[in-house]
Every structure is written in structure tokens, then in C-alpha cells.
Amino acid sequence: MMRFTMSQDTPGSTATAANPTQQGDALENLLHENRKFAPSEDFAANAVVGAEVYAEADADRPAFWAKQARELLTWDKDFTQALDWSNPPFAKWFVGGEVNAAYNALDRHVENGLGDRVAIYFEGEPGDSRAYTYAELTEEVKKAANAFESLGVAKGDRVAVYLPMIPEAVITLLACARIGAVHSVVFGGFSADALRSRIEDAEAKLVVTADGTYRRGKPSALKPAVDEALSREGDGNGHTVQNVVVVKRNGQDVDWTEGRDHWWADTVGAASAEHTAVGHDSEHPLFILYTSGTTGKPKGILHTTGGYLTQTAYTHKAVFDLHPETDVYWCTADVGWVTGHSYVAYAPLINGATQVMYEGTPDSPHQGRWWEIVQKYKVSILYTAPTAIRTFMKWGRDIPDKYDLSSIRVLGSVGEPINPEAWMWYRDVIGNSGAKQSPAPIVDTWWQTETGAQMIAPLPGVTATKPGSAQVPLPGIAVDVVDENGASVPNGHGGFLVIREPWPAMLRGIWGDPERFKETYWSRFETMYFAGDGAKKDEDGDIWLLGRVDDVMNISGHRLSTTEIESALVSHPAVAEAAVVGAADETTGQAVVAFVILRGDAVDSGDEIVQDLRNHVGKEIGPIAKPKIILVVPELPKTRSGKIMRRLLKDVAEGREAGDATTLADNTVMAQIAASLKK
Ligand code: ATP
Ligand code: MG
């Protein structure tokens, strides 16, 4: 079977020229994927939400969300209005309501007799493990809340968090939320510089960190970066940090500033476990989080309380078909990324779920580590990123095949478009282990730091899923694909992804910069939120994400998507990963340049493979999409959340010095690429 057939709108055909939405800024769509997988009868019959939710939400969006807010959360004071949109783009949700995030995530479950349910199964990289019941986690959070208050942190103050994936990260976030302090998590992998600028931007009063963590079997330090960040001259007025709380994790020696530094065990450990949570205004700031920095300088995204908690909890329940009494949920995202906020620290606990938290890398101490964890805890819902799936494909199916993964019943993906090839592998290898009647459904979830919660995703008991497509806006969410004038494109066409109506978990602004908020998201199409991503609607009206609008290539006047060409490359058996950029070209305006990582056994196949790959893309998509240059590289530049940073590859393709690479996960990658290209 040929996986992709050419569409009617192939560049050069008359349909293209005749259709106004195909001109100007609109994206052309070339890939066609025809596979579809309906939910099994059994799954559909037991699903927590059914198809009726769409109509219910369409009838009255704010009323739909108000109902979810009252069902999913316990309010200290009920709200009087679901949505106030009188001053766009500044929304207020659940106006007049008061709610405490930590009370909802913890205390109320204990009050409801669920104190003995495991909240977190923690698995450390060296093999240590700890479990926290809801009662135990509640106690820890109360102690931390008391400790932070005793260090002078009050409602509205900012707390910078620079921690590895350990339970103290979740405890810290919830303790801040409990007292109304605003947390700002900085990735543990970021430098002292990045930490310093984020501490300054938020004017943080307290920093919570650890001596260090473990990375690939070795201790890896964190505290020295905090010391450096706080000692150096800042950009302006100096920093506002008064105290640093340090978790002892790996026992490394650390420098100590008396009076400023406090061990977690001494402060939190010694604090009282009595702490009463009070409700905070629904619009009280919950956290600031800087975007991944995939396309440029990170933005400090501000989220508030009531709307954020409602949409994260609703989507977590509906999209993962959560049955909290029986499911074991594992989201592999780091807490430094928005996914680690919404779908590790908040939604699972609000919903009373049992979750797994893992500190380390997937290949420590061996490449089967994740599958060993799934087997050990009988994980039933797994939520991860395409970059991880492609890495496991590269390592080969023999590794997961050694483990019992039969507990898995829902698989999630987030962070980048998932190539159809990776989607099928995820389904067949991870989702179909053991004697299953039918493989686990895959939910591809599109959303952003800015959206706070999932926005486009199938519902696993309702939607017939398609490999590579996030498909449908969630109930109560008004997503559309529009042309350059803001008009909705017809099915079968591409354009810009927008959100037409305010949603509960939407960002409330960029910290300290309301103008940048308006300019970045609300100026391209005045009344709609512009997400920055290109997308297409297929013949069924399902949505396909096509990559960043900034990354769209213009080849001889045709606007092509990086994602489609990458997916075609990844569908070749020799290719493990691919990244495509448009590089300036004298004749065609831009030319397609592809960077590929080959699978183990294909690495020595020389120039032949390059020709073979060009032909493969020509066959799968069309001659216009054939890369002009294919460069075989050992690695691709990625952010800490696993996204490919195409702008750095574009610099390479156009022969420039690579630009700002401070948010790279591995800062040696650009040098590795340069070295491999010199050979
Ligand atoms: P920056 O905004 O600083 O460049 P970033 O956009 O990578 O960084 P995030 O908010 O973590 O920061 O990522 C959101 C983006 O990730 C989306 O705009 C989209 O491009 C991509 N994305 C997330 N999930 C999906 C998905 N399921 N399918 C396709 N793309 C996705
Ligand atoms: Mg972004």
C-alpha cells in the first residue's frame, strides 16, 4: 500500500491556481493519510465521556465550562459569571469565585476517604523508589506551605523553582499555590544565565532547588548554577531573592551561604503539618512559565487559577479516559515544561489519579528503562512526546518487546506533530503488547504553554483516530484554520491555526508586558488568537498540524510544510529522524534542505541513500517537495522538551553562524553537526 497519495491540489495543477485560498499565505497540503481506527465497542461502552459533549458545549460554551468547573472543583465561594470578555483579549473566567488549587488536589481527597490511595509512585534514576499516598502528600504540602511562609513568602510573591523531576517539585508547586504565591519553574537543564534572567524578570523572593540530580547514571549538579545566578551582576537592579531552599537529592558537596540557604529537611521537615487552605480569587495568578524557546526568546506566560484548573482537569479526564480508581497514569514530561505543570502537578491530582514520576533519562541504566517502569507499576495511560517515540523506534522493537506492557490502554502524544510512521509504531509496538482485543487508542494532543491545556485531540471512546492528525477541537474549544484574511478555509485546504473564542485555561498575558501579549497573539487577526502554527483541514474536516508558520517554506511560489516532508522522510526504513528547513536559493526563492539521522544499519550506505531518499520524497509527496540537499547528521538540535530547533538548522543551511542556542538540551549538538558536515 502506498501510504500517501498525491492530492488533487498538487502544485501546478489548475485547482491550485483557481482556488483563492491556495494563493498568498495559505499552505498547500500534500500528504494524504487514509488509515482510520475506530474505538473498540468495549472501550466506547466504558468511556467516561461520549459524543454528546460536543453538542452540549456548542449550545453554550461558557455554560458548558461553568458546569465542568462546578463538577470538577470544590469552590470556597461559587462564581457569579462564567466568562467576562468585556475587555478582550483579557479574559476573566468564573468571576467572583474563590478556589484553592492545593485543597482541590489534596485535602479534599483525604476528606473524601481517599487518603490511602497512592498519588505518586516516584522512581529515581539510580533505582530508588518512594510512594506517596494522598494523605502523605497533603501533609508534605502543608509543611512546605508553612516553611515558605516562615521564610517570608506571602500571597502574590514569586517563587523560582529549579528542581529535577522529584516529588519535591510537585510539593513545591502545590505549596506555592496553597498560599497564593506564584511559581516560576526554570528547567533544571538551563544555565545560570537563563535562571538569572528569569529570576529577575519575575522578581522572585525565594528559590527552591536541589544539590543536584542524576543524569545517565552520574550525579549532575544544580545548586552551583543557583549560586552563580545569585552572585553575578544582573542586568539592572540586582535580584530580589532572600532565601534558597535546597533539597538534598544526590548528596553532592555544595557551597553554602549562611542565612540565605536552608536545607529542605531542616525547614520543611521541621515545619508543622497543620495548615488551612483558603480560597483565592479565580483570577489570582497561579504561575509564570517561559515558553520552550523553540523559535526565539522565551516569553513569560501568565496563568491564573479557576479557568486553568477547570480545563486541565476536564481534558485530563476526557482525553485520557481517566478512571481514577483503577488507572495508573504516567506523563513523562519534565516539570520545567508546561506539560509537567498541567498534566503532572495539577490535573492528575485534582482528578484523584495515581501517577508515576520518573527522574531520569530513558536509557539509564539500559534502553528498556521506561518499559520496565510500565511493567512494574502496570501503567495504563502513557503520555509522551514524538521525539521519544522516534528514539525508541531507532533503538528497535526488541527492547519494548521484552516487557509486559499489556496494562497500557491509552497512549498520548504531545509537543510536535507525530509522523504517521511513528504513530503506527507507537500503536503496534507499545499499544498492542500482550493478548489485547484491540490496540490502545492514541490521542495526539495539540496545545501550547499559552493555551494552558489541551485544545485539539480525539476523544478515545468517540473519535476514529488517524495516524498523524490531532483531528478535532475539544468540546467547548473554538479552533479554526483560516486564510490570510481570517476566513475559514474549506476542507482539503491549509492555512493558519486560530482560536476564535476565549477558553478557560488561556494565558492571561505575558508577565509584565501586556503590549507584547497583544502584539504576539492578537494582532495578526484582530478578534482571533493566532497560535503561530500552520494547519490543514482534510476532506473530513479533521485538523493536521503542519509546523510553525515561521518554518513554512516557499519553493517556487508554493508554500510547503516542513512536517509533511519530514513525515515522508521518516516513512523510509533507513531514516530514524528528519528535520527540514527552507534555505535561501537564487532560482527557487527557497530550497528544501533536509537533515536526517539514519537508523543504525543504514549509516554506512554512503551517497546512494541520499539519492534514494530524494526519490522517496518525490514518490510520497511530489517532485516539488524533493529536498535539494540532504545532510546526514549524528544528532538534531532540540530544546529540553524535545522539539527540533529548525532556526539553528536554517543558519547551518544558509552558511551562517548559528544563532541563540541557550535553550538547547545538549549544547554540543551544533558542533557535532558542523564536524559531521566537514567530513
Ligand atoms: P516558543 O514559543 O518559545 O518558540 P514552543 O512553541 O516550542 O516555544 P511550547 O509552548 O512548549 O513552546 O510548544 C507549543 C508548540 O508545540 C505548538 O505551538 C506547536 O507548534 C507544537 N505542538 C505541541 N503539540 C503538538 C501536536 N500534538 N502536534 C503538532 N504540534 C504540536
Ligand atoms: Mg510557541
Side-chain angles (χ1 to χ4, degrees):
M1 179 183 77
M2 212 176 97
R3 260 172 236 96
F4 309 113
T5 51
M6 291 212 310
S7 96
Q8 296 304 304
D9 306 319
T10 311
S13 77
T14 48
T16 305
N19 189 326
T21 65
Q22 287 286 298
Q23 291 168 349
D25 277 336
L27 259 168
E28 297 185 30
N29 84 72
L30 303 171
L31 273 182
H32 269 200
E33 165 62 60
N34 301 317
R35 289 169 290 195
K36 245 192 204 183
F37 302 97
S40 70
E41 262 172 48
D42 193 40
F43 195 103
N46 293 305
V48 292
V49 300
E52 68 286 349
V53 288
Y54 294 107
E56 192 194 330
D58 284 348
D60 187 340
R61 274 174 223 286
F64 171 80
W65 286 117
K67 180 179 157 200
Q68 307 311 326
R70 291 194 176 103
E71 265 179 33
L72 294 163
L73 301 177
T74 306
W75 294 77
D76 290 286
K77 187 170 158 222
D78 193 17
F79 47 89
T80 52
Q81 189 187 4
L83 167 67
D84 175 358
W85 190 234
S86 57
N87 180 31
F90 299 94
K92 290 194 180 121
W93 280 91
F94 312 130
V95 182
E98 288 178 5
V99 64
N100 187 292
Y103 173 80
N104 275 274
L106 300 163
D107 311 45
R108 66 166 176 162
H109 300 313
V110 180
E111 289 165 14
N112 291 337
L114 301 177
D116 292 337
R117 181 181 289 173
V118 172
I120 298 178
Y121 285 116
F122 170 69
E123 185 79 13
E125 199 195 74
D128 56 322
S129 58
R130 277 183 265 168
Y132 289 82
T133 63
Y134 272 92
E136 288 164 343
L137 197 65
T138 305
E139 185 161 310
E140 291 302 316
V141 169
K142 287 180 174 178
K143 287 175 159 187
N146 281 321
F148 297 170
E149 282 181 331
S150 74
L151 293 173
V153 178
K155 182 166 175 170
D157 287 343
R158 272 80 61 203
V159 174
V161 181
Y162 189 65
L163 282 169
M165 273 305 274
I166 55 177
E168 286 82 355
V170 172
I171 293 167
T172 298
L173 268 45
L174 291 173
C176 289
R178 191 174 187 93
I179 62 181
V182 183
H183 54 77
S184 168
V185 179
V186 181
F187 267 133
F190 284 172
S191 65
D193 266 342
L195 178 60
R196 168 74 187 216
S197 64
R198 286 161 176 75
I199 287 173
E200 271 187 9
D201 190 51
E203 298 175 281
K205 217 169 172 182
L206 171 72
V207 178
V208 184
T209 188
D211 49 358
T213 178
Y214 298 91
R215 236 41 222 165
R216 301 218 153 75
K218 290 193 209 81
S220 152
L222 284 167
K223 175 82 168 31
V226 175
D227 292 332
E228 195 188 330
L230 298 184
S231 69
R232 83 175 44 177
E233 295 289 312
D235 302 335
N237 316 323
H239 66 76
T240 42
V241 173
Q242 294 165 355
N243 293 287
V244 177
V245 172
V246 188
V247 178
K248 187 171 268 181
R249 170 61 188 144
N250 69 5
Q252 278 188 303
D253 282 341
V254 290
D255 289 340
W256 205 252
T257 303
E258 282 306 330
R260 185 197 73 183
D261 295 350
H262 316 269
W263 286 112
W264 176 281
D266 297 340
T267 44
V268 177
S272 154
E274 299 293 322
H275 187 279
T276 309
V278 297
H280 300 299
D281 189 272
S282 180
E283 284 298 334
H284 183 68
L286 186 64
F287 66 86
I288 305 164
L289 181 64
Y290 294 81
T291 52
S292 315
T294 310
T295 52
K297 185 172 174 281
K299 303 168 274 284
I301 302 300
L302 174 67
H303 282 288
T304 61
T305 309
Y308 173 83
L309 296 177
T310 300
Q311 193 182 332
T312 52
Y314 178 73
T315 51
H316 182 256
K317 174 182 110 171
V319 174
F320 298 125
D321 185 45
L322 180 77
H323 292 75
E325 326 71 49
T326 47
D327 274 317
V328 177
Y329 164 85
W330 181 20
C331 168
T332 65
D334 192 283
V335 70
W337 183 26
V338 70
T339 309
H341 283 57
S342 303
Y343 297 102
V344 176
Y346 287 104
L349 299 172
I350 297 283
N351 287 335
T354 295
Q355 69 176 322
V356 171
M357 184 175 189
Y358 172 55
E359 178 184 27
T361 49
D363 53 355
S364 236
H366 56 80
Q367 294 177 334
R369 184 69 190 272
W370 276 24
W371 316 120
E372 194 176 74
I373 293 172
V374 168
Q375 175 178 285
K376 174 172 173 185
Y377 294 106
K378 300 198 167 40
V379 170
S380 56
I381 304 170
L382 178 69
Y383 191 28
T384 192
T387 181
I389 300 163
R390 290 190 301 260
T391 303
F392 296 128
M393 286 172 74
K394 186 162 60 179
W395 292 344
R397 73 171 293 159
D398 313 356
I399 296 167
D401 278 351
K402 282 189 215 130
Y403 298 88
D404 177 6
L405 311 181
S406 59
S407 53
I408 287 182
R409 56 173 211 93
V410 178
L411 293 170
S413 174
V414 62
E416 280 189 295
I418 174 165
N419 324 102
E421 206 64 24
W423 196 102
M424 287 306 298
W425 190 92
Y426 199 25
R427 175 182 165 90
D428 290 340
V429 178
I430 308 304
N432 201 22
S433 162
K436 280 216 170 77
Q437 275 186 331
S438 58
I442 297 178
V443 286
D444 177 12
T445 63
W446 179 89
W447 60 295
Q448 312 176 295
T449 309
E450 293 89 338
T451 69
Q454 297 163 348
M455 301 292 280
I456 310 176
L459 291 177
V462 177
T463 320
T465 54
K466 292 180 184 174
S469 171
Q471 295 186 289
V472 273
L474 284 164
I477 300 298
V479 168
D480 201 358
V481 182
V482 299
D483 66 18
E484 63 273 28
N485 302 315
S488 192
V489 303
N491 289 353
H493 295 281
F496 302 98
L497 189 75
V498 295
I499 306 165
R500 288 186 175 277
E501 301 287 341
W503 64 101
M506 70 193 286
L507 75 165
R508 300 304 196 265
I510 295 180
W511 184 254
D513 202 345
E515 278 315 306
R516 191 172 173 207
F517 171 55
K518 288 190 202 163
E519 166 63 30
T520 310
Y521 306 104
W522 303 93
S523 62
R524 182 71 183 76
F525 305 103
E526 273 160 48
T527 58
M528 297 184 278
Y529 171 89
F530 172 46
D533 286 356
K536 74 177 179 197
K537 292 180 191 165
D538 68 14
E539 297 301 340
D540 303 326
D542 282 327
I543 295 171
W544 294 71
L545 277 304
L546 297 178
R548 319 288 175 138
V549 168
D550 298 346
D551 290 337
V552 166
M553 297 170 293
N554 196 327
I555 316 292
S556 305
H558 297 287
R559 291 175 61 84
L560 305 183
S561 130
T562 50
T563 301
E564 291 188 327
I565 302 176
E566 287 164 6
S567 287
L569 285 163
V570 172
S571 75
H572 188 285
V575 176
E577 285 208 74
V580 163
V581 298
D585 186 274
E586 276 174 14
T587 41
T588 52
Q590 279 191 321
V592 180
V593 177
F595 295 78
V596 298
I597 303 180
L598 298 179
R599 291 201 195 209
D601 40 4
V603 169
D604 294 321
S605 45
D607 290 346
E608 248 169 72
I609 187 72
V610 168
Q611 197 45 46
D612 199 24
L613 289 177
R614 292 189 73 239
N615 293 337
H616 179 72
V617 174
K619 188 177 95 230
E620 298 284 282
I621 296 188
I624 186 91
K626 275 190 183 180
K628 182 166 179 186
I629 301 173
I630 296 183
L631 300 166
V632 176
V633 291
E635 265 309 331
L636 292 170
K638 288 180 189 158
T639 62
R640 274 271 300 194
S641 52
K643 294 167 205 261
I644 298 167
M645 290 172 83
R646 289 179 190 75
R647 76 185 157 78
L648 296 179
L649 293 174
K650 193 166 166 152
D651 292 339
V652 173
E654 295 182 345
R656 264 191 312 276
E657 177 120 6
D660 182 5
T662 48
T663 55
L664 269 183
D666 174 355
N667 54 21
T668 67
V669 166
M670 294 313 290
Q672 287 180 43
I673 291 174
S676 76
L677 298 182
K678 274 203 201 100
K679 276 191 227 150

